[in-house]
Amino acid sequence: MYYDIIIIGAGSSGLMAAVAAGKNSTNVLLLDKGDKLGRKLGISGGGRCNVTNAKDIDELIKNIPGNGRFLHSSLATFSNYDIMAFFESLGIALKEEDNGRMFPISNKAKSVVDALVGEVRRLGVHIKVNSPVAKVIYEEGKVTGVKLMSGEIVHCQKVIVAVGGKSVPHTGSTGDGYAWAEDAGHSISQLFPTEVPLTSREHFIADKELQGLSLRDVTLSVWSLKGKKLITHQGDMIFTHFGISGPIVLRCSQFVVKELMKSSGTPIRLTADLKPELTLQEVHDQSYLLCQSDAKKMVKNVLKSFVPERMIPLLMRRANLQEEVTFDHIPKQEWMELANLIKAFPIRIHDSLSIEEAFVTGGGVSLKEVNPSTLESKLMSGLYFCGEILDIHGYTGGYNITAAFTTGYNAGRDAAESLSGL
């Protein structure tokens, strides 16, 4: 059996590669090892499918801290605005939410998946599900086909590997493509979890003292082993039974994980600023005046209107303040320490959840070995990579899916156009 182009993996990047290839070639095969196309896409954005982000290109790339600059060439051809126009052309009306996130007005990921799969079918792309690939076949420096787990060999001129990373494995992303890349001579940069909840052995975590407590509109900072601030994000977070999670924790996680990889077991320090809109002195003065205005009450009761109530006993213990203290007996040094803790509450992080439990895989096929305009391998003619298998990772919020769609589109387009040129 022969096809011009074989695309392995029917996720975000694979489906978009199939669209781009199908527009330019009539002999394209899309293979997926599962029984359902677009599984990860169908659960993205909390089941609503955040199809892209409306920020301008420079801002978009800033939100892909894992090698986002590699995407300049891809985005020049197929940008986030082109992604929006593409889905609108399929009848998927979009709406913009906070921070530029673009969702279907239907709020249903299924509508996006159905439209994308429908377009792939309309373009005449052959689809084969329940067809896991054993290996990609290379001969004399070029791709010649793929071997399925069933033993069947399918010949082709171009193979686009779009099988994802190792995150969310129940959707089919189990890291199959890394071995195929290595067989072609590619190097794989170290894989690690990103956009992942963090674990801590702090007493207040182990004792579940704060479990379930959400902090709204705080800032979270990550500190290097040498005491340098690596990153700060503002937003919401939550204390869990194992550590911390929530939007800003996920955004900070890749910096924590990278630092943990260097730390030989030393925990990484994070600090949460519970009052980012106030200076340290303002926190000190405002909390002091608050207690003065209700001088007969115990401080712990007055502070309920200033900081989250469940944190007060912990904050006071750490500042060496007696729980029963009233305004008249507030010690100066300890009150300043309380203000310091409100501005920089320390949380030691010992680990993260596993790469399988992460939203995104960090690391992947080395970008030095991939052409940024075409996504073709520099080492093996006719081999392309797109999506999460590449060493590219961004924050949640439509950035990773944008990287998947733009690399998929460019890989599919080049594979087909180079064949028509031949």
Side-chain angles (χ1 to χ4, degrees), residues 74-131:
S74 287
L75 288 166
T77 303
F78 193 65
S79 70
N80 49 336
Y81 301 107
D82 294 319
I83 292 167
M84 290 180 230
F86 169 75
F87 282 108
E88 296 269 4
S89 75
L90 298 183
I92 301 294
L94 301 175
K95 60 179 176 176
E96 183 173 343
E97 295 191 5
D98 59 306
N99 298 311
R101 297 182 305 155
M102 299 301 298
F103 287 93
I105 284 175
S106 68
N107 281 326
K108 289 177 182 168
K110 187 177 185 303
S111 62
V112 174
V113 176
D114 289 349
L116 196 46
V117 171
E119 181 66 359
V120 171
R121 292 187 192 281
R122 188 188 71 78
L123 290 165
V125 172
H126 303 270
I127 297 170
K128 211 170 175 186
V129 294
N130 297 314
S131 300

Side-chain angles (χ1 to χ4, degrees), residues 189-230:
S189 55
Q190 184 174 359
L191 304 178
F192 59 94
T194 76
E195 300 301 299
V196 65
L198 301 172
T199 65
S200 171
R201 296 197 291 272
E202 293 273 22
H203 286 301
F204 63 87
I205 298 291
D207 296 343
K208 300 183 169 48
E209 187 174 358
L210 301 179
Q211 183 179 334
L213 173 65
S214 292
L215 301 180
R216 303 288 180 201
D217 206 27
V218 298
T219 61
L220 189 65
S221 300
V222 180
W223 300 85
S224 75
L225 294 161
K226 294 179 178 175
K228 179 188 169 192
K229 188 188 286 187
L230 297 173

Side-chain angles (χ1 to χ4, degrees), residues 5 7 12-24 57 70-80 82-83 158-162 370-377 382-387 390 392 401-419:
I5 301 164
I7 300 160
S12 306
S13 61
L15 287 167
M16 194 60 88
V19 167
K23 283 179 180 175
N24 296 284
I57 299 294
F70 178 84
L71 296 172
H72 270 296
S73 296
S74 287
L75 288 166
T77 303
F78 193 65
S79 70
N80 49 336
D82 294 319
I83 292 167
K158 309 278 182 179
V159 167
I160 300 172
V161 179
V370 177
N371 184 315
S373 300
T374 64
L375 284 306
E376 186 174 13
S377 164
L383 178 65
Y384 294 76
F385 299 100
C386 57
L390 292 164
I392 298 169
I401 202 167
T402 300
F405 282 148
T406 188
T407 54
Y409 182 89
N410 279 275
R413 190 183 81 141
D414 186 78
E417 286 187 352
S418 60
L419 282 173

Side-chain angles (χ1 to χ4, degrees), residues 239-261:
F239 292 97
T240 68
H241 63 287
F242 56 77
I244 54 175
S245 189
I248 56 171
V249 173
L250 298 182
R251 287 187 156 226
C252 287
S253 64
Q254 62 182 281
F255 300 93
V256 177
V257 171
K258 284 177 186 170
E259 205 63 15
L260 280 166
M261 291 194 299

